[in-house]
PDB file of all heavy atoms in Angstrom:
ATOM      1  N   ARG A   1       0.117-137.953  29.304  1.00 93.00           N
ATOM      2  CA  ARG A   1       0.895-137.235  30.312  1.00 93.00           C
ATOM      3  C   ARG A   1      -0.055-136.386  31.142  1.00 93.00           C
ATOM      4  O   ARG A   1      -1.207-136.175  30.759  1.00 93.00           O
ATOM      5  CB  ARG A   1       1.959-136.368  29.654  1.00 93.00           C
ATOM      6  CG  ARG A   1       1.417-135.303  28.745  1.00 93.00           C
ATOM      7  CD  ARG A   1       2.509-134.487  28.067  1.00 93.00           C
ATOM      8  NE  ARG A   1       3.211-135.253  27.070  1.00 93.00           N
ATOM      9  CZ  ARG A   1       2.932-135.230  25.781  1.00 93.00           C
ATOM     10  NH1 ARG A   1       1.945-134.473  25.341  1.00 93.00           N
ATOM     11  NH2 ARG A   1       3.608-135.946  24.927  1.00 93.00           N
ATOM     12  N   ALA A   2       0.432-135.913  32.262  1.00 94.00           N
ATOM     13  CA  ALA A   2      -0.399-135.085  33.139  1.00 94.00           C
ATOM     14  C   ALA A   2      -0.769-133.776  32.444  1.00 94.00           C
ATOM     15  O   ALA A   2       0.032-133.209  31.698  1.00 94.00           O
ATOM     16  CB  ALA A   2       0.337-134.804  34.442  1.00 94.00           C
ATOM     17  N   LEU A   3      -1.974-133.326  32.694  1.00 93.00           N
ATOM     18  CA  LEU A   3      -2.465-132.048  32.191  1.00 93.00           C
ATOM     19  C   LEU A   3      -2.714-131.153  33.398  1.00 93.00           C
ATOM     20  O   LEU A   3      -3.502-131.512  34.278  1.00 93.00           O
ATOM     21  CB  LEU A   3      -3.757-132.248  31.394  1.00 93.00           C
ATOM     22  CG  LEU A   3      -3.690-133.264  30.249  1.00 93.00           C
ATOM     23  CD1 LEU A   3      -5.082-133.503  29.686  1.00 93.00           C
ATOM     24  CD2 LEU A   3      -2.747-132.788  29.171  1.00 93.00           C
ATOM     25  N   HIS A   4      -2.061-130.018  33.459  1.00 94.00           N
ATOM     26  CA  HIS A   4      -2.165-129.133  34.623  1.00 94.00           C
ATOM     27  C   HIS A   4      -2.948-127.872  34.283  1.00 94.00           C
ATOM     28  O   HIS A   4      -2.708-127.247  33.252  1.00 94.00           O
ATOM     29  CB  HIS A   4      -0.771-128.760  35.127  1.00 94.00           C
ATOM     30  CG  HIS A   4       0.033-129.939  35.536  1.00 94.00           C
ATOM     31  ND1 HIS A   4      -0.222-130.641  36.687  1.00 94.00           N
ATOM     32  CD2 HIS A   4       1.063-130.572  34.923  1.00 94.00           C
ATOM     33  CE1 HIS A   4       0.632-131.648  36.789  1.00 94.00           C
ATOM     34  NE2 HIS A   4       1.417-131.630  35.729  1.00 94.00           N
ATOM     35  N   GLY A   5      -3.897-127.529  35.157  1.00 93.00           N
ATOM     36  CA  GLY A   5      -4.695-126.324  34.972  1.00 93.00           C
ATOM     37  C   GLY A   5      -5.582-126.357  33.741  1.00 93.00           C
ATOM     38  O   GLY A   5      -5.860-125.327  33.139  1.00 93.00           O
ATOM     39  N   TRP A   6      -6.065-127.556  33.386  1.00 91.00           N
ATOM     40  CA  TRP A   6      -6.891-127.708  32.191  1.00 91.00           C
ATOM     41  C   TRP A   6      -8.289-127.167  32.471  1.00 91.00           C
ATOM     42  O   TRP A   6      -8.899-127.509  33.478  1.00 91.00           O
ATOM     43  CB  TRP A   6      -6.972-129.180  31.813  1.00 91.00           C
ATOM     44  CG  TRP A   6      -7.188-129.346  30.348  1.00 91.00           C
ATOM     45  CD1 TRP A   6      -8.385-129.485  29.715  1.00 91.00           C
ATOM     46  CD2 TRP A   6      -6.200-129.372  29.334  1.00 91.00           C
ATOM     47  NE1 TRP A   6      -8.200-129.598  28.360  1.00 91.00           N
ATOM     48  CE2 TRP A   6      -6.860-129.524  28.108  1.00 91.00           C
ATOM     49  CE3 TRP A   6      -4.808-129.262  29.336  1.00 91.00           C
ATOM     50  CZ2 TRP A   6      -6.193-129.586  26.888  1.00 91.00           C
ATOM     51  CZ3 TRP A   6      -4.144-129.333  28.136  1.00 91.00           C
ATOM     52  CH2 TRP A   6      -4.827-129.492  26.930  1.00 91.00           C
ATOM     53  N   PRO A   7      -8.851-126.333  31.577  1.00 91.00           N
ATOM     54  CA  PRO A   7     -10.190-125.789  31.811  1.00 91.00           C
ATOM     55  C   PRO A   7     -11.258-126.887  31.831  1.00 91.00           C
ATOM     56  O   PRO A   7     -11.280-127.755  30.970  1.00 91.00           O
ATOM     57  CB  PRO A   7     -10.421-124.856  30.620  1.00 91.00           C
ATOM     58  CG  PRO A   7      -9.069-124.579  30.064  1.00 91.00           C
ATOM     59  CD  PRO A   7      -8.236-125.799  30.363  1.00 91.00           C
ATOM     60  N   ILE A   8     -12.124-126.826  32.839  1.00 91.00           N
ATOM     61  CA  ILE A   8     -13.272-127.740  32.914  1.00 91.00           C
ATOM     62  C   ILE A   8     -14.352-127.160  32.017  1.00 91.00           C
ATOM     63  O   ILE A   8     -14.629-125.961  32.045  1.00 91.00           O
ATOM     64  CB  ILE A   8     -13.787-127.876  34.352  1.00 91.00           C
ATOM     65  CG1 ILE A   8     -12.716-128.539  35.221  1.00 91.00           C
ATOM     66  CG2 ILE A   8     -15.093-128.662  34.397  1.00 91.00           C
ATOM     67  CD1 ILE A   8     -13.058-128.558  36.696  1.00 91.00           C
ATOM     68  N   TYR A   9     -14.958-128.024  31.214  1.00 87.00           N
ATOM     69  CA  TYR A   9     -16.008-127.589  30.300  1.00 87.00           C
ATOM     70  C   TYR A   9     -17.366-127.908  30.898  1.00 87.00           C
ATOM     71  O   TYR A   9     -17.676-129.063  31.156  1.00 87.00           O
ATOM     72  CB  TYR A   9     -15.851-128.285  28.943  1.00 87.00           C
ATOM     73  CG  TYR A   9     -16.940-127.933  27.968  1.00 87.00           C
ATOM     74  CD1 TYR A   9     -17.006-126.664  27.419  1.00 87.00           C
ATOM     75  CD2 TYR A   9     -17.894-128.867  27.617  1.00 87.00           C
ATOM     76  CE1 TYR A   9     -18.006-126.331  26.528  1.00 87.00           C
ATOM     77  CE2 TYR A   9     -18.888-128.538  26.714  1.00 87.00           C
ATOM     78  CZ  TYR A   9     -18.942-127.270  26.176  1.00 87.00           C
ATOM     79  OH  TYR A   9     -19.929-126.942  25.298  1.00 87.00           O
ATOM     80  N   GLY A  10     -18.169-126.878  31.120  1.00 74.00           N
ATOM     81  CA  GLY A  10     -19.520-127.069  31.618  1.00 74.00           C
ATOM     82  C   GLY A  10     -20.494-126.924  30.465  1.00 74.00           C
ATOM     83  O   GLY A  10     -20.565-125.863  29.853  1.00 74.00           O
ATOM     84  N   VAL A  11     -21.207-127.986  30.148  1.00 61.00           N
ATOM     85  CA  VAL A  11     -22.149-127.950  29.020  1.00 61.00           C
ATOM     86  C   VAL A  11     -23.141-126.817  29.243  1.00 61.00           C
ATOM     87  O   VAL A  11     -23.786-126.740  30.282  1.00 61.00           O
ATOM     88  CB  VAL A  11     -22.869-129.304  28.871  1.00 61.00           C
ATOM     89  CG1 VAL A  11     -23.889-129.240  27.765  1.00 61.00           C
ATOM     90  CG2 VAL A  11     -21.855-130.402  28.622  1.00 61.00           C
ATOM     91  N   GLY A  12     -23.231-125.947  28.269  1.00 54.00           N
ATOM     92  CA  GLY A  12     -24.149-124.821  28.362  1.00 54.00           C
ATOM     93  C   GLY A  12     -23.599-123.642  29.140  1.00 54.00           C
ATOM     94  O   GLY A  12     -24.162-122.566  29.118  1.00 54.00           O
ATOM     95  N   THR A  13     -22.481-123.832  29.838  1.00 51.00           N
ATOM     96  CA  THR A  13     -21.933-122.736  30.634  1.00 51.00           C
ATOM     97  C   THR A  13     -20.525-122.366  30.204  1.00 51.00           C
ATOM     98  O   THR A  13     -19.964-121.411  30.707  1.00 51.00           O
ATOM     99  CB  THR A  13     -21.897-123.117  32.126  1.00 51.00           C
ATOM    100  OG1 THR A  13     -21.049-124.252  32.304  1.00 51.00           O
ATOM    101  CG2 THR A  13     -23.277-123.404  32.657  1.00 51.00           C
ATOM    102  N   GLY A  14     -19.937-123.135  29.282  1.00 54.00           N
ATOM    103  CA  GLY A  14     -18.569-122.849  28.864  1.00 54.00           C
ATOM    104  C   GLY A  14     -17.579-123.226  29.940  1.00 54.00           C
ATOM    105  O   GLY A  14     -17.660-124.294  30.525  1.00 54.00           O
ATOM    106  N   ASP A  15     -16.663-122.329  30.267  1.00 58.00           N
ATOM    107  CA  ASP A  15     -15.606-122.600  31.243  1.00 58.00           C
ATOM    108  C   ASP A  15     -16.188-122.683  32.651  1.00 58.00           C
ATOM    109  O   ASP A  15     -16.965-121.848  33.067  1.00 58.00           O
ATOM    110  CB  ASP A  15     -14.561-121.494  31.167  1.00 58.00           C
ATOM    111  CG  ASP A  15     -13.371-121.742  32.060  1.00 58.00           C
ATOM    112  OD1 ASP A  15     -13.181-122.889  32.504  1.00 58.00           O
ATOM    113  OD2 ASP A  15     -12.624-120.780  32.312  1.00 58.00           O
ATOM    114  N   ALA A  16     -15.783-123.713  33.394  1.00 70.00           N
ATOM    115  CA  ALA A  16     -16.280-123.911  34.764  1.00 70.00           C
ATOM    116  C   ALA A  16     -15.119-124.155  35.720  1.00 70.00           C
ATOM    117  O   ALA A  16     -15.179-125.018  36.573  1.00 70.00           O
ATOM    118  CB  ALA A  16     -17.266-125.077  34.792  1.00 70.00           C
ATOM    119  N   GLY A  17     -14.017-123.423  35.568  1.00 86.00           N
ATOM    120  CA  GLY A  17     -12.853-123.606  36.428  1.00 86.00           C
ATOM    121  C   GLY A  17     -11.784-124.404  35.715  1.00 86.00           C
ATOM    122  O   GLY A  17     -11.781-124.535  34.495  1.00 86.00           O
ATOM    123  N   ALA A  18     -10.854-124.944  36.504  1.00 91.00           N
ATOM    124  CA  ALA A  18      -9.743-125.709  35.928  1.00 91.00           C
ATOM    125  C   ALA A  18      -9.436-126.903  36.821  1.00 91.00           C
ATOM    126  O   ALA A  18      -9.811-126.941  37.985  1.00 91.00           O
ATOM    127  CB  ALA A  18      -8.513-124.823  35.786  1.00 91.00           C
ATOM    128  N   THR A  19      -8.740-127.894  36.249  1.00 92.00           N
ATOM    129  CA  THR A  19      -8.402-129.104  36.987  1.00 92.00           C
ATOM    130  C   THR A  19      -7.067-129.649  36.507  1.00 92.00           C
ATOM    131  O   THR A  19      -6.592-129.284  35.437  1.00 92.00           O
ATOM    132  CB  THR A  19      -9.501-130.177  36.801  1.00 92.00           C
ATOM    133  OG1 THR A  19      -9.254-131.249  37.709  1.00 92.00           O
ATOM    134  CG2 THR A  19      -9.543-130.712  35.381  1.00 92.00           C
ATOM    135  N   ASP A  20      -6.480-130.509  37.312  1.00 94.00           N
ATOM    136  CA  ASP A  20      -5.298-131.266  36.916  1.00 94.00           C
ATOM    137  C   ASP A  20      -5.750-132.688  36.620  1.00 94.00           C
ATOM    138  O   ASP A  20      -6.573-133.249  37.353  1.00 94.00           O
ATOM    139  CB  ASP A  20      -4.254-131.289  38.032  1.00 94.00           C
ATOM    140  CG  ASP A  20      -3.670-129.911  38.300  1.00 94.00           C
ATOM    141  OD1 ASP A  20      -3.619-129.092  37.361  1.00 94.00           O
ATOM    142  OD2 ASP A  20      -3.264-129.655  39.439  1.00 94.00           O
ATOM    143  N   ILE A  21      -5.226-133.266  35.556  1.00 94.00           N
ATOM    144  CA  ILE A  21      -5.581-134.630  35.166  1.00 94.00           C
ATOM    145  C   ILE A  21      -4.292-135.438  35.103  1.00 94.00           C
ATOM    146  O   ILE A  21      -3.373-135.080  34.369  1.00 94.00           O
ATOM    147  CB  ILE A  21      -6.304-134.641  33.802  1.00 94.00           C
ATOM    148  CG1 ILE A  21      -7.562-133.756  33.864  1.00 94.00           C
ATOM    149  CG2 ILE A  21      -6.670-136.062  33.392  1.00 94.00           C
ATOM    150  CD1 ILE A  21      -8.206-133.497  32.527  1.00 94.00           C
ATOM    151  N   ALA A  22      -4.222-136.502  35.874  1.00 94.00           N
ATOM    152  CA  ALA A  22      -3.011-137.314  35.966  1.00 94.00           C
ATOM    153  C   ALA A  22      -2.738-138.095  34.687  1.00 94.00           C
ATOM    154  O   ALA A  22      -3.664-138.451  33.957  1.00 94.00           O
ATOM    155  CB  ALA A  22      -3.131-138.284  37.135  1.00 94.00           C
ATOM    156  N   ALA A  23      -1.486-138.375  34.431  1.00 95.00           N
ATOM    157  CA  ALA A  23      -1.110-139.239  33.306  1.00 95.00           C
ATOM    158  C   ALA A  23      -1.724-140.619  33.525  1.00 95.00           C
ATOM    159  O   ALA A  23      -1.795-141.102  34.653  1.00 95.00           O
ATOM    160  CB  ALA A  23       0.405-139.354  33.214  1.00 95.00           C
ATOM    161  N   GLY A  24      -2.188-141.230  32.463  1.00 94.00           N
ATOM    162  CA  GLY A  24      -2.785-142.559  32.545  1.00 94.00           C
ATOM    163  C   GLY A  24      -4.243-142.569  32.929  1.00 94.00           C
ATOM    164  O   GLY A  24      -4.866-143.625  33.024  1.00 94.00           O
ATOM    165  N   ARG A  25      -4.827-141.408  33.145  1.00 94.00           N
ATOM    166  CA  ARG A  25      -6.237-141.319  33.539  1.00 94.00           C
ATOM    167  C   ARG A  25      -7.124-141.718  32.363  1.00 94.00           C
ATOM    168  O   ARG A  25      -6.897-141.322  31.224  1.00 94.00           O
ATOM    169  CB  ARG A  25      -6.521-139.884  33.959  1.00 94.00           C
ATOM    170  CG  ARG A  25      -7.869-139.629  34.523  1.00 94.00           C
ATOM    171  CD  ARG A  25      -7.879-139.821  36.033  1.00 94.00           C
ATOM    172  NE  ARG A  25      -9.224-139.669  36.515  1.00 94.00           N
ATOM    173  CZ  ARG A  25      -9.721-138.535  36.993  1.00 94.00           C
ATOM    174  NH1 ARG A  25      -8.977-137.469  37.074  1.00 94.00           N
ATOM    175  NH2 ARG A  25     -10.968-138.490  37.394  1.00 94.00           N
ATOM    176  N   VAL A  26      -8.162-142.505  32.643  1.00 94.00           N
ATOM    177  CA  VAL A  26      -9.070-142.999  31.606  1.00 94.00           C
ATOM    178  C   VAL A  26     -10.346-142.162  31.603  1.00 94.00           C
ATOM    179  O   VAL A  26     -10.932-141.894  32.647  1.00 94.00           O
ATOM    180  CB  VAL A  26      -9.418-144.487  31.835  1.00 94.00           C
ATOM    181  CG1 VAL A  26     -10.434-144.974  30.821  1.00 94.00           C
ATOM    182  CG2 VAL A  26      -8.159-145.332  31.778  1.00 94.00           C
ATOM    183  N   GLY A  27     -10.771-141.752  30.404  1.00 94.00           N
ATOM    184  CA  GLY A  27     -12.001-140.993  30.231  1.00 94.00           C
ATOM    185  C   GLY A  27     -12.769-141.509  29.028  1.00 94.00           C
ATOM    186  O   GLY A  27     -12.323-142.430  28.339  1.00 94.00           O
ATOM    187  N   LEU A  28     -13.912-140.901  28.790  1.00 94.00           N
ATOM    188  CA  LEU A  28     -14.767-141.296  27.666  1.00 94.00           C
ATOM    189  C   LEU A  28     -14.971-140.106  26.742  1.00 94.00           C
ATOM    190  O   LEU A  28     -15.229-138.991  27.195  1.00 94.00           O
ATOM    191  CB  LEU A  28     -16.125-141.777  28.178  1.00 94.00           C
ATOM    192  CG  LEU A  28     -16.101-143.008  29.087  1.00 94.00           C
ATOM    193  CD1 LEU A  28     -17.485-143.240  29.683  1.00 94.00           C
ATOM    194  CD2 LEU A  28     -15.649-144.218  28.317  1.00 94.00           C
ATOM    195  N   VAL A  29     -14.868-140.346  25.451  1.00 92.00           N
ATOM    196  CA  VAL A  29     -15.089-139.300  24.458  1.00 92.00           C
ATOM    197  C   VAL A  29     -16.574-139.233  24.141  1.00 92.00           C
ATOM    198  O   VAL A  29     -17.211-140.254  23.900  1.00 92.00           O
ATOM    199  CB  VAL A  29     -14.283-139.589  23.168  1.00 92.00           C
ATOM    200  CG1 VAL A  29     -14.578-138.552  22.095  1.00 92.00           C
ATOM    201  CG2 VAL A  29     -12.794-139.638  23.469  1.00 92.00           C
ATOM    202  N   GLY A  30     -17.109-138.024  24.142  1.00 85.00           N
ATOM    203  CA  GLY A  30     -18.503-137.823  23.785  1.00 85.00           C
ATOM    204  C   GLY A  30     -18.669-137.758  22.280  1.00 85.00           C
ATOM    205  O   GLY A  30     -17.731-137.971  21.513  1.00 85.00           O
ATOM    206  N   HIS A  31     -19.858-137.436  21.855  1.00 75.00           N
ATOM    207  CA  HIS A  31     -20.161-137.305  20.417  1.00 75.00           C
ATOM    208  C   HIS A  31     -19.342-136.160  19.834  1.00 75.00           C
ATOM    209  O   HIS A  31     -19.284-135.069  20.392  1.00 75.00           O
ATOM    210  CB  HIS A  31     -21.645-137.035  20.229  1.00 75.00           C
ATOM    211  CG  HIS A  31     -22.007-136.737  18.820  1.00 75.00           C
ATOM    212  ND1 HIS A  31     -22.013-137.708  17.850  1.00 75.00           N
ATOM    213  CD2 HIS A  31     -22.348-135.585  18.213  1.00 75.00           C
ATOM    214  CE1 HIS A  31     -22.363-137.162  16.704  1.00 75.00           C
ATOM    215  NE2 HIS A  31     -22.571-135.869  16.901  1.00 75.00           N
ATOM    216  N   VAL A  32     -18.708-136.428  18.701  1.00 82.00           N
ATOM    217  CA  VAL A  32     -17.925-135.408  18.006  1.00 82.00           C
ATOM    218  C   VAL A  32     -18.473-135.276  16.584  1.00 82.00           C
ATOM    219  O   VAL A  32     -18.300-136.175  15.770  1.00 82.00           O
ATOM    220  CB  VAL A  32     -16.426-135.788  17.945  1.00 82.00           C
ATOM    221  CG1 VAL A  32     -15.641-134.703  17.243  1.00 82.00           C
ATOM    222  CG2 VAL A  32     -15.880-136.063  19.334  1.00 82.00           C
ATOM    223  N   PRO A  33     -19.151-134.175  16.292  1.00 76.00           N
ATOM    224  CA  PRO A  33     -19.644-133.990  14.925  1.00 76.00           C
ATOM    225  C   PRO A  33     -18.472-133.966  13.945  1.00 76.00           C
ATOM    226  O   PRO A  33     -17.409-133.438  14.265  1.00 76.00           O
ATOM    227  CB  PRO A  33     -20.343-132.628  14.981  1.00 76.00           C
ATOM    228  CG  PRO A  33     -20.609-132.376  16.427  1.00 76.00           C
ATOM    229  CD  PRO A  33     -19.522-133.074  17.170  1.00 76.00           C
ATOM    230  N   PRO A  34     -18.625-134.531  12.750  1.00 81.00           N
ATOM    231  CA  PRO A  34     -17.525-134.596  11.782  1.00 81.00           C
ATOM    232  C   PRO A  34     -16.932-133.236  11.429  1.00 81.00           C
ATOM    233  O   PRO A  34     -15.762-133.128  11.135  1.00 81.00           O
ATOM    234  CB  PRO A  34     -18.155-135.237  10.543  1.00 81.00           C
ATOM    235  CG  PRO A  34     -19.441-135.810  10.986  1.00 81.00           C
ATOM    236  CD  PRO A  34     -19.848-135.135  12.254  1.00 81.00           C
ATOM    237  N   ASP A  35     -17.736-132.199  11.503  1.00 84.00           N
ATOM    238  CA  ASP A  35     -17.242-130.867  11.151  1.00 84.00           C
ATOM    239  C   ASP A  35     -16.828-130.057  12.378  1.00 84.00           C
ATOM    240  O   ASP A  35     -16.661-128.852  12.302  1.00 84.00           O
ATOM    241  CB  ASP A  35     -18.302-130.109  10.364  1.00 84.00           C
ATOM    242  CG  ASP A  35     -19.586-129.909  11.157  1.00 84.00           C
ATOM    243  OD1 ASP A  35     -19.796-130.626  12.155  1.00 84.00           O
ATOM    244  OD2 ASP A  35     -20.377-129.043  10.774  1.00 84.00           O
ATOM    245  N   ALA A  36     -16.649-130.714  13.523  1.00 81.00           N
ATOM    246  CA  ALA A  36     -16.355-129.988  14.761  1.00 81.00           C
ATOM    247  C   ALA A  36     -15.206-130.615  15.543  1.00 81.00           C
ATOM    248  O   ALA A  36     -15.302-130.804  16.745  1.00 81.00           O
ATOM    249  CB  ALA A  36     -17.607-129.922  15.621  1.00 81.00           C
ATOM    250  N   LEU A  37     -14.117-130.931  14.860  1.00 80.00           N
ATOM    251  CA  LEU A  37     -12.980-131.540  15.556  1.00 80.00           C
ATOM    252  C   LEU A  37     -12.263-130.560  16.482  1.00 80.00           C
ATOM    253  O   LEU A  37     -11.344-130.938  17.186  1.00 80.00           O
ATOM    254  CB  LEU A  37     -11.994-132.138  14.555  1.00 80.00           C
ATOM    255  CG  LEU A  37     -12.502-133.388  13.839  1.00 80.00           C
ATOM    256  CD1 LEU A  37     -11.463-133.880  12.829  1.00 80.00           C
ATOM    257  CD2 LEU A  37     -12.818-134.492  14.833  1.00 80.00           C
ATOM    258  N   ASP A  38     -12.702-129.315  16.515  1.00 83.00           N
ATOM    259  CA  ASP A  38     -12.151-128.358  17.466  1.00 83.00           C
ATOM    260  C   ASP A  38     -12.921-128.383  18.781  1.00 83.00           C
ATOM    261  O   ASP A  38     -12.600-127.651  19.700  1.00 83.00           O
ATOM    262  CB  ASP A  38     -12.154-126.949  16.883  1.00 83.00           C
ATOM    263  CG  ASP A  38     -13.557-126.461  16.535  1.00 83.00           C
ATOM    264  OD1 ASP A  38     -14.429-127.305  16.245  1.00 83.00           O
ATOM    265  OD2 ASP A  38     -13.771-125.241  16.536  1.00 83.00           O
ATOM    266  N   ARG A  39     -13.919-129.275  18.879  1.00 85.00           N
ATOM    267  CA  ARG A  39     -14.762-129.326  20.082  1.00 85.00           C
ATOM    268  C   ARG A  39     -14.955-130.761  20.574  1.00 85.00           C
ATOM    269  O   ARG A  39     -16.081-131.215  20.758  1.00 85.00           O
ATOM    270  CB  ARG A  39     -16.102-128.684  19.785  1.00 85.00           C
ATOM    271  CG  ARG A  39     -16.003-127.207  19.457  1.00 85.00           C
ATOM    272  CD  ARG A  39     -17.359-126.549  19.343  1.00 85.00           C
ATOM    273  NE  ARG A  39     -18.264-127.221  18.421  1.00 85.00           N
ATOM    274  CZ  ARG A  39     -18.502-126.825  17.180  1.00 85.00           C
ATOM    275  NH1 ARG A  39     -17.905-125.768  16.703  1.00 85.00           N
ATOM    276  NH2 ARG A  39     -19.348-127.474  16.432  1.00 85.00           N
TER     277      ARG A  39
END
């Protein structure tokens, strides 16, 4: 579903503003350490 006002994550800078992401939008998941499912 659409995500409204979602914070943009800037690597090394944390929050870098916000964006809207349309429903059905395709993205890629980066590396997720096994002990870091909150990131």
Side-chain angles (χ1 to χ4, degrees):
R1 61 182 71 96
L3 306 172
H4 300 287
W6 208 266
I8 295 173
Y9 177 70
V11 177
T13 61
D15 185 17
T19 190
D20 294 331
I21 302 170
R25 186 90 185 265
V26 176
L28 298 171
V29 176
H31 173 72
V32 181
D35 61 342
L37 290 178
D38 61 333
R39 296 188 307 260

